[in-house]
């Protein structure tokens, strides 16, 4: 490899376990150290989503955690408007293209420069979506000739294209060397499915099929997110991922803020922003997010306003609160038990109706009681999903 995590970390390389192959073939580009870490995690995530839901799946990775992940579920009209795709065009998308469009739009600011993964063959529709996004590479099981031709031209021919080896067996044990110590452990090969969603412990036990699907999506996503992690899902896609926090409630607050941003991107005032001709796609994405956040410095606001043909009226806190009050049906999953009810209290502010977690805390009864107070359904899976 050119270098490791940073340019001063030379030499750098990857090696296969003795007498085994590497999991990917390089079809184009020169993958780096972090690219390959992203690819390994992203590919496992989409493989398990495919197995767990039976739907085409996609993920969008940055620095070894998913910015987004999704399965192929049709878009609503409001989502189409927020994601800059017409309902007519969305209806024609192939399942794998639809999955990646959703994954990329979970948190499009964080997905800037992502490494993508899809569970099924990359077709021309998917390649055309990737073509217009800023992305470093993709891993998939295969590519159509037309898709491969499109992707090979991306980034001046430097776009990384990896093909996953069919039937690859990573082995039962995984290893890691840190500071002169070699760690080994049994691979976390549990695949979350609807079979894990049987133990509803709250008074409200109703779990529609869509909620079960979202529980699976959120749980598999956080399995490949740096711990502590909490993730929110809706309509088959992640809508907020909180990664790598020491406090679980901070994970909920971080991911919950992302949920609010995702939901408020569908606010009429956000959808009605009038950009000047020539403003780039990613600049429009960033400008909408900053409009929602609203905490401009005077200098920043001047540059932000220059992007619009008509300077927008502010989106007030009262307007945001009123719009968010309609949010409902959102699922939250945690990679370990909620130790206190504070996470549930905060989740109630962002439209959560369903909770999935391993359980096992001495405070399980308190957390269950909090869910009952908010009318949430909660499931214990009995499976912890720490990832480091």
């Amino acid at each position: 490899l050119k270098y490791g995590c940073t340019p001063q970390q030379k030499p750098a390389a990857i090696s296969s376990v003795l007498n085994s192959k590497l999991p990917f073939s390089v079809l184009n580009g020169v993958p780096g150290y972090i690219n390959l870490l992203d690819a390994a995690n992203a590919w496992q995530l989409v493989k398990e989503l495919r197995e767990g839901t039976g739907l085409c799946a996609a993920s969008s990775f940055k620095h070894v955690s998913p910015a987004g992940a999704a399965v192929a579920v049709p878009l609503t009209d409001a989502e189409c408007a927020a994601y800059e795709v017409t309902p007519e065009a969305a209806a024609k998308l192939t399942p794998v293209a639809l999955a990646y469009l959703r994954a990329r739009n979970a948190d499009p600011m964080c997905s800037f420069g992502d490494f993508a993964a899809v569970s099924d063959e990359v077709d021309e529709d998917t390649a055309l979506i990737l073509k217009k996004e800023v992305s470093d590479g993709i891993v998939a099981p295969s590519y159509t000739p037309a898709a491969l031709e499109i992707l090979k031209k991306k980034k001046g021919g430097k776009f990384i294209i990896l093909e996953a080896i069919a039937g690859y067996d990573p082995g039962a044990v995984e290893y890691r060397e840190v500071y002169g110590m070699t760690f080994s452990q049994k691979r976390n090969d549990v695949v979350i499915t609807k079979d894990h969603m049987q133990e509803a412990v709250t008074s409200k036990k109703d779990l529609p099929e869509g909620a079960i699907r979202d529980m699976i999506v959120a749980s598999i996503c956080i399995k490949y997110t740096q711990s502590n992690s909490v993730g929110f899902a809706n309509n088959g896609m992640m809508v907020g991922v909180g990664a790598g926090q020491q406090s679980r409630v901070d994970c909920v607050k971080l991911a919950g803020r992302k949920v609010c941003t995702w939901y408020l991107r569908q606010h009429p005032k956000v959808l009605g922003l009038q950009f000047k001709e020539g403003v780039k796609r990613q600049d429009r994405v960033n400008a909408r997010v900053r409009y929602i956040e609203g905490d401009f410095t005077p200098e920043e606001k001047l540059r932000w306003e220059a992007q619009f043909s008509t300077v927008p009226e502010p989106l007030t806190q009262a307007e945001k609160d009123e719009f968010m009050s309609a949010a409902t049906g959102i699922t939250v999953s945690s990679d370990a038990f909620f130790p206190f009810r504070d996470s549930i209290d905060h989740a109630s502010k962002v439209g959560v109706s369903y909770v999935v977690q391993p359980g096992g805390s001495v405070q399980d009864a308190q957390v269950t009681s909090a869910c009952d107070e908010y009318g949430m359904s909660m499931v214990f899976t009995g499976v912890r999903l720490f990832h480091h």
Side-chain angles (χ1 to χ4, degrees):
L1 302 176
K2 187 176 180 181
Y3 52 78
C5 284
T6 58
Q8 66 266 27
Q9 291 178 269
K10 299 176 185 178
I14 58 167
S15 308
S16 64
V17 176
L18 190 64
N19 298 320
S20 68
K21 298 179 180 179
L22 292 173
F24 310 120
S25 295
V26 180
L27 303 186
N28 196 70
V30 181
Y33 190 98
I34 295 174
N35 294 144
L36 290 165
L37 285 173
D38 281 342
N41 285 276
W43 172 243
Q44 291 178 88
L45 192 161
V46 297
K47 272 187 78 222
E48 292 185 18
L49 278 183
R50 189 65 159 108
E51 186 176 341
T53 67
L55 300 169
C56 288
S59 62
S60 171
F61 260 68
K62 286 283 294 290
H63 286 282
V64 205
S65 281
V71 293
V73 173
L75 297 171
T76 66
D77 286 349
E79 287 173 325
C80 286
Y83 307 159
E84 294 192 358
V85 57
T86 66
E88 296 76 21
K92 296 176 182 177
L93 288 175
T94 60
V96 68
L98 177 58
Y100 181 67
L101 180 69
R102 278 194 174 279
R104 179 79 188 204
N105 276 284
D107 187 349
M109 279 188 74
C110 286
S111 281
F112 181 82
D114 70 343
F115 204 97
V118 295
S119 62
D120 292 60
E121 183 172 71
V122 176
D123 51 30
E124 191 171 0
D125 279 3
T126 311
L128 288 171
I129 291 173
L130 270 161
K131 180 182 178 180
K132 64 184 179 182
E133 302 289 6
V134 177
S135 177
D136 280 353
I138 185 171
V139 56
S142 59
Y143 302 81
T144 66
L148 196 57
E149 193 64 27
I150 292 167
L151 295 177
K152 280 184 173 181
K153 295 176 182 177
K154 189 172 171 63
K155 291 188 71 175
K158 296 181 180 180
F159 187 70
I160 301 161
I161 305 172
L162 304 180
E163 185 170 85
I165 303 300
Y168 178 77
D169 180 6
V173 178
E174 60 186 5
Y175 304 88
R176 176 182 300 182
E177 191 275 329
V178 179
Y179 200 58
M181 299 177 288
T182 300
F183 294 75
S184 67
Q185 65 176 352
K186 179 183 180 294
R187 192 176 305 281
N188 185 2
D189 57 4
V190 175
V191 177
I192 302 297
T193 69
K194 63 181 180 181
D195 293 338
H196 292 93
M197 309 304 168
Q198 304 302 313
E199 190 184 348
V201 297
T202 44
S203 299
K204 189 174 182 181
K205 302 183 184 296
D206 178 42
L207 291 174
E209 285 299 312
I212 293 173
R213 175 204 61 214
D214 289 348
M215 286 180 166
I216 295 169
V217 169
S219 297
I220 292 176
C221 179
I222 61 171
K223 180 184 174 185
Y224 292 101
T225 302
Q226 300 300 302
S227 295
N228 287 316
S229 65
V230 166
F232 294 79
N234 185 250
N235 284 347
M237 66 183 282
M238 298 306 296
V239 295
V241 179
Q245 302 301 303
Q246 290 75 22
S247 165
R248 190 154 303 277
V249 72
D250 281 347
C251 292
V252 176
K253 290 176 180 178
L254 172 60
R257 178 175 60 81
K258 292 173 182 284
V259 174
C260 291
T261 300
W262 166 78
Y263 194 72
L264 287 167
R265 282 161 56 206
Q266 302 170 54
H267 191 286
K269 287 181 75 169
V270 178
L271 297 178
L273 292 174
Q274 300 296 312
F275 289 95
K276 290 179 179 176
E277 188 175 347
V279 175
K280 293 181 179 179
R281 177 180 176 80
Q282 191 63 42
D283 290 333
R284 296 195 301 271
V285 166
N286 297 348
R288 291 186 185 107
V289 172
R290 293 300 292 131
Y291 179 57
I292 291 165
E293 293 170 341
D295 55 344
F296 301 103
T297 66
E299 293 80 3
E300 181 189 8
K301 191 172 184 181
L302 285 173
R303 291 193 298 273
W304 179 81
E305 289 177 344
Q307 300 174 94
F308 301 95
S309 55
T310 302
V311 175
E313 291 294 321
L315 182 61
T316 67
Q317 189 60 50
E319 289 172 319
K320 289 188 276 191
D321 290 345
E322 181 183 6
F323 195 74
M324 283 303 304
S325 69
T328 187
I330 292 172
T331 294
V332 62
S333 179
S334 176
D335 66 354
F337 58 70
F338 288 114
F340 305 104
R341 64 166 292 156
D342 53 0
S343 292
I344 304 303
D345 291 324
H346 194 80
S348 72
K349 301 175 184 178
V350 295
V352 167
S353 301
Y354 307 101
V355 180
V356 56
Q357 58 142 320
S361 169
V362 295
Q363 299 286 354
D364 278 351
Q366 181 195 87
V367 173
T368 303
S369 176
C371 288
D372 285 337
E373 290 173 23
Y374 292 115
M376 299 175 186
S377 300
M378 181 168 67
V379 166
F380 286 170
T381 64
V383 181
R384 193 173 295 185
L385 299 169
F386 281 153
H387 183 62
H388 292 287

